[in-house]
DNA sequence: GGCTCGGTGGGGAAAAGTGGGGGAAAGTGG
DNA sequence: CCACTTTCCCCCACTTTTCCCCACCGAGCC
């Protein structure tokens, strides 16, 4: 199975629940993910297989650069393990939704090793004019 | 087995389904591909064996040039994993067909490591007058 | 002619997405 | 340790979408 791909808009219900897109569910039922805000504008959802190396690298960073400890701690403090319920939904705490401007609609975006969760409008604004400087690099990757 | 070669026109039915040319089917039944818009005028279809290195290089690009993240995210967001049904057809979402002007007919073109899907007319317009500047290079490859 | 294989079309069962009620569990205060 | 509140999550119900399966048609081969 390859990485996460595609984009899907789902409703956030009154209880803060959102259905994880079916194509992002790997195992049969009730899997769990790490929910964390890595970037300014979006939440990230890591399956355990992708999270493990991240965790290793974070510890490695602290070992080599102890001054990075506070920054790493701020990240881990606001991260969270979430599980799908029997209907395949995850619960996103209100606080986290506010951080990235999520309202009634959540856009799930496949980003290879992880899933990003965006407010649809913000995503459009952030990706509508990608920097053409990188086009040659990207083109050559697909050649 | 060598790369994809040849071109085949197939009908897109009312549900958005198109038969994958039989000569592009490798395994026995129900294989899956990555469907993505890499170029302006056509969709690309990667078998998993070709896709894996692409995925690696995309992640490498983001690691080395974080500003490329938005561009790569826009790509993966619009990409999609598609599987053939028991009749050997794939489903192309309406949105993707509009992006490259696909209507009732789809032209499948073998492009070595991947398959490209074109609107027949666009393909004719794009390839009828190739730049002769590169002819010597191409000729020398076959010498 | 009868067979197989590749391509095309449509009906219907199964899955995915959405919403709400209620019981269990966890957190809080006496 | 017991009551009360709040949060969580399981269950059921409903709608929409997906895709599985069957049937047909035509071309080429035995």
């Amino acid at each position: 199975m390859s990485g996460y791909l595609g984009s899907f808009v789902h409703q956030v219900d009154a209880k803060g629940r959102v259905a994880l897109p079916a194509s992002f569910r790997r195992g049969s039922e009730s899997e769990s993910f790490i929910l964390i805000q890595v970037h300014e504008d979006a939440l990230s959802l890591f399956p355990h297989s992708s999270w493990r190396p991240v965790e290793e690298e974070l510890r490695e960073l602290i070992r080599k650069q102890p001054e990075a400890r506070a920054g790493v701690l701020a990240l881990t403090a606001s991260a969270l393990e979430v599980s799908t319920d029997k209907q395949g939904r995850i619960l996103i705490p209100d606080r986290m939704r506010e951080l990235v401007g999520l309202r009634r609609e959540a856009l799930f975006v496949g980003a290879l090793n992880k899933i990003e969760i965006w407010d649809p409008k913000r995503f459009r604004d952030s990706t509508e004019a990608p920097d053409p400087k990188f086009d040659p690099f990207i083109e050559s990757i697909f050649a």
Side-chain angles (χ1 to χ4, degrees), chain A:
Chain A
M1 179 73 79
S2 45
Y4 297 102
L5 295 172
S7 56
F8 309 86
V9 177
H10 285 164
Q11 308 303 310
V12 181
D13 72 17
K15 300 179 181 178
R17 297 176 298 182
V18 207
L20 188 70
S23 60
F24 290 168
R25 296 176 208 152
R26 300 307 208 212
S28 45
E29 70 171 53
S30 188
E31 30 189 349
S32 73
F33 296 85
I34 309 299
L35 178 62
I36 185 172
Q37 189 191 8
V38 185
H39 304 291
E40 181 82 9
D41 282 334
L43 300 175
S44 297
L45 203 54
F46 287 80
H48 278 93
S49 58
S50 300
W51 179 252
R52 210 174 320 257
V54 170
E55 195 166 313
E56 281 309 311
E57 288 188 52
L58 286 176
R59 297 184 56 194
E60 188 67 18
L61 174 61
I62 295 178
R63 254 177 256 125
K64 292 191 171 158
Q65 311 213 35
E67 324 82 45
R69 198 175 75 90
V72 173
L73 191 59
L75 264 181
T76 60
S78 66
L80 178 61
E81 182 163 10
V82 295
S83 303
T84 57
D85 66 17
K86 279 222 169 134
Q87 279 67 10
R89 294 174 285 199
I90 58 169
L91 188 70
I92 304 179
D94 291 0
R95 211 191 73 264
M96 276 213 170
R97 279 191 290 139
E98 284 162 20
L99 287 175
V100 294
L102 272 185
R103 312 176 79 79
R104 272 219 46 98
E105 298 200 313
L107 174 68
F108 287 80
V109 183
L112 306 182
N113 63 323
K114 63 178 184 294
I115 299 161
E116 298 197 5
I117 309 176
W118 289 74
D119 171 64
K121 183 168 184 331
R122 266 195 211 198
F123 182 79
R124 261 177 272 124
D125 294 345
S126 296
T127 55
E128 67 185 349
D131 193 333
K133 183 170 58 181
F134 300 107
D135 286 357
F137 294 101
I138 292 175
E139 292 256 348
S140 78
I141 288 175
F142 291 97

PDB file of all heavy atoms in Angstrom, chain A residues 3-4 45-47 49-51 54 111-115:
ATOM      1  N   GLY A   3       1.403   5.659  -0.006  1.00  0.00           N
ATOM      2  CA  GLY A   3       1.063   6.717   0.954  1.00  0.00           C
ATOM      3  C   GLY A   3      -0.331   7.279   0.775  1.00  0.00           C
ATOM      4  O   GLY A   3      -1.066   6.909  -0.128  1.00  0.00           O
ATOM      5  N   TYR A   4      -0.676   8.200   1.650  1.00  0.00           N
ATOM      6  CA  TYR A   4      -2.000   8.823   1.606  1.00  0.00           C
ATOM      7  C   TYR A   4      -2.093   9.803   0.443  1.00  0.00           C
ATOM      8  O   TYR A   4      -1.198  10.624   0.234  1.00  0.00           O
ATOM      9  CB  TYR A   4      -2.276   9.555   2.916  1.00  0.00           C
ATOM     10  CG  TYR A   4      -2.329   8.631   4.113  1.00  0.00           C
ATOM     11  CD1 TYR A   4      -1.256   8.522   4.985  1.00  0.00           C
ATOM     12  CD2 TYR A   4      -3.464   7.858   4.364  1.00  0.00           C
ATOM     13  CE1 TYR A   4      -1.300   7.670   6.085  1.00  0.00           C
ATOM     14  CE2 TYR A   4      -3.523   7.010   5.452  1.00  0.00           C
ATOM     15  CZ  TYR A   4      -2.440   6.915   6.310  1.00  0.00           C
ATOM     16  OH  TYR A   4      -2.489   6.067   7.381  1.00  0.00           O
ATOM     17  N   LEU A  45      -2.209  14.231  10.978  1.00  0.00           N
ATOM     18  CA  LEU A  45      -2.664  12.970  11.539  1.00  0.00           C
ATOM     19  C   LEU A  45      -1.676  11.890  11.078  1.00  0.00           C
ATOM     20  O   LEU A  45      -1.591  11.590   9.896  1.00  0.00           O
ATOM     21  CB  LEU A  45      -4.068  12.689  11.008  1.00  0.00           C
ATOM     22  CG  LEU A  45      -5.020  11.783  11.743  1.00  0.00           C
ATOM     23  CD1 LEU A  45      -5.204  12.226  13.181  1.00  0.00           C
ATOM     24  CD2 LEU A  45      -6.355  11.774  11.015  1.00  0.00           C
ATOM     25  N   PHE A  46      -0.925  11.342  12.038  1.00  0.00           N
ATOM     26  CA  PHE A  46       0.082  10.326  11.711  1.00  0.00           C
ATOM     27  C   PHE A  46      -0.393   8.932  12.109  1.00  0.00           C
ATOM     28  O   PHE A  46      -0.790   8.736  13.252  1.00  0.00           O
ATOM     29  CB  PHE A  46       1.391  10.595  12.464  1.00  0.00           C
ATOM     30  CG  PHE A  46       2.184  11.759  11.957  1.00  0.00           C
ATOM     31  CD1 PHE A  46       1.856  13.059  12.314  1.00  0.00           C
ATOM     32  CD2 PHE A  46       3.273  11.549  11.122  1.00  0.00           C
ATOM     33  CE1 PHE A  46       2.595  14.136  11.849  1.00  0.00           C
ATOM     34  CE2 PHE A  46       4.019  12.626  10.647  1.00  0.00           C
ATOM     35  CZ  PHE A  46       3.681  13.917  11.010  1.00  0.00           C
ATOM     36  N   PRO A  47      -0.316   7.991  11.191  1.00  0.00           N
ATOM     37  CA  PRO A  47      -0.522   6.605  11.609  1.00  0.00           C
ATOM     38  C   PRO A  47       0.702   6.189  12.420  1.00  0.00           C
ATOM     39  O   PRO A  47       1.760   6.814  12.315  1.00  0.00           O
ATOM     40  CB  PRO A  47      -0.578   5.849  10.289  1.00  0.00           C
ATOM     41  CG  PRO A  47       0.271   6.648   9.373  1.00  0.00           C
ATOM     42  CD  PRO A  47       0.069   8.086   9.777  1.00  0.00           C
ATOM     43  N   SER A  49       2.788   3.878  12.128  1.00  0.00           N
ATOM     44  CA  SER A  49       3.979   3.500  11.359  1.00  0.00           C
ATOM     45  C   SER A  49       4.802   4.723  10.954  1.00  0.00           C
ATOM     46  O   SER A  49       6.023   4.656  10.879  1.00  0.00           O
ATOM     47  CB  SER A  49       3.565   2.706  10.123  1.00  0.00           C
ATOM     48  OG  SER A  49       2.687   3.479   9.320  1.00  0.00           O
ATOM     49  N   SER A  50       4.128   5.852  10.671  1.00  0.00           N
ATOM     50  CA  SER A  50       4.860   7.060  10.315  1.00  0.00           C
ATOM     51  C   SER A  50       5.332   7.812  11.541  1.00  0.00           C
ATOM     52  O   SER A  50       6.309   8.564  11.486  1.00  0.00           O
ATOM     53  CB  SER A  50       3.978   8.021   9.502  1.00  0.00           C
ATOM     54  OG  SER A  50       3.541   7.429   8.317  1.00  0.00           O
ATOM     55  N   TRP A  51       4.623   7.626  12.651  1.00  0.00           N
ATOM     56  CA  TRP A  51       4.950   8.398  13.846  1.00  0.00           C
ATOM     57  C   TRP A  51       6.235   7.908  14.513  1.00  0.00           C
ATOM     58  O   TRP A  51       7.019   8.686  15.019  1.00  0.00           O
ATOM     59  CB  TRP A  51       3.800   8.349  14.846  1.00  0.00           C
ATOM     60  CG  TRP A  51       4.091   9.095  16.102  1.00  0.00           C
ATOM     61  CD1 TRP A  51       4.346   8.566  17.332  1.00  0.00           C
ATOM     62  CD2 TRP A  51       4.190  10.516  16.252  1.00  0.00           C
ATOM     63  NE1 TRP A  51       4.597   9.567  18.233  1.00  0.00           N
ATOM     64  CE2 TRP A  51       4.506  10.769  17.592  1.00  0.00           C
ATOM     65  CE3 TRP A  51       4.048  11.595  15.355  1.00  0.00           C
ATOM     66  CZ2 TRP A  51       4.679  12.066  18.090  1.00  0.00           C
ATOM     67  CZ3 TRP A  51       4.215  12.879  15.844  1.00  0.00           C
ATOM     68  CH2 TRP A  51       4.525  13.115  17.190  1.00  0.00           C
ATOM     69  N   VAL A  54       9.369   9.641  13.568  1.00  0.00           N
ATOM     70  CA  VAL A  54       9.311  11.032  14.008  1.00  0.00           C
ATOM     71  C   VAL A  54       9.727  11.120  15.477  1.00  0.00           C
ATOM     72  O   VAL A  54      10.547  11.952  15.863  1.00  0.00           O
ATOM     73  CB  VAL A  54       7.891  11.609  13.842  1.00  0.00           C
ATOM     74  CG1 VAL A  54       7.776  12.958  14.527  1.00  0.00           C
ATOM     75  CG2 VAL A  54       7.522  11.717  12.375  1.00  0.00           C
ATOM     76  N   ALA A 111      -1.151  13.338   2.358  1.00  0.00           N
ATOM     77  CA  ALA A 111       0.176  13.937   2.206  1.00  0.00           C
ATOM     78  C   ALA A 111       1.239  12.858   2.385  1.00  0.00           C
ATOM     79  O   ALA A 111       2.136  12.995   3.214  1.00  0.00           O
ATOM     80  CB  ALA A 111       0.372  15.081   3.187  1.00  0.00           C
ATOM     81  N   LEU A 112       1.097  11.765   1.632  1.00  0.00           N
ATOM     82  CA  LEU A 112       2.050  10.655   1.627  1.00  0.00           C
ATOM     83  C   LEU A 112       2.134   9.946   2.964  1.00  0.00           C
ATOM     84  O   LEU A 112       1.333   9.060   3.228  1.00  0.00           O
ATOM     85  CB  LEU A 112       3.428  11.139   1.143  1.00  0.00           C
ATOM     86  CG  LEU A 112       3.377  11.849  -0.230  1.00  0.00           C
ATOM     87  CD1 LEU A 112       4.771  12.266  -0.684  1.00  0.00           C
ATOM     88  CD2 LEU A 112       2.721  10.949  -1.261  1.00  0.00           C
ATOM     89  N   ASN A 113       3.087  10.355   3.824  1.00  0.00           N
ATOM     90  CA  ASN A 113       3.250   9.616   5.079  1.00  0.00           C
ATOM     91  C   ASN A 113       2.261  10.026   6.156  1.00  0.00           C
ATOM     92  O   ASN A 113       2.178   9.402   7.198  1.00  0.00           O
ATOM     93  CB  ASN A 113       4.676   9.788   5.601  1.00  0.00           C
ATOM     94  CG  ASN A 113       4.982  11.238   5.939  1.00  0.00           C
ATOM     95  OD1 ASN A 113       4.534  12.139   5.244  1.00  0.00           O
ATOM     96  ND2 ASN A 113       5.713  11.450   7.002  1.00  0.00           N
ATOM     97  N   LYS A 114       1.514  11.124   5.912  1.00  0.00           N
ATOM     98  CA  LYS A 114       0.551  11.567   6.923  1.00  0.00           C
ATOM     99  C   LYS A 114      -0.689  12.146   6.246  1.00  0.00           C
ATOM    100  O   LYS A 114      -0.745  12.285   5.033  1.00  0.00           O
ATOM    101  CB  LYS A 114       1.194  12.628   7.818  1.00  0.00           C
ATOM    102  CG  LYS A 114       1.585  13.892   7.086  1.00  0.00           C
ATOM    103  CD  LYS A 114       2.180  14.911   8.048  1.00  0.00           C
ATOM    104  CE  LYS A 114       2.484  16.221   7.351  1.00  0.00           C
ATOM    105  NZ  LYS A 114       3.568  16.077   6.324  1.00  0.00           N
ATOM    106  N   ILE A 115      -1.686  12.477   7.097  1.00  0.00           N
ATOM    107  CA  ILE A 115      -2.911  13.111   6.609  1.00  0.00           C
ATOM    108  C   ILE A 115      -2.956  14.516   7.191  1.00  0.00           C
ATOM    109  O   ILE A 115      -2.662  14.694   8.373  1.00  0.00           O
ATOM    110  CB  ILE A 115      -4.139  12.315   7.084  1.00  0.00           C
ATOM    111  CG1 ILE A 115      -4.103  10.881   6.542  1.00  0.00           C
ATOM    112  CG2 ILE A 115      -5.432  13.015   6.693  1.00  0.00           C
ATOM    113  CD1 ILE A 115      -5.006   9.925   7.303  1.00  0.00           C
TER     114      ILE A 115
END
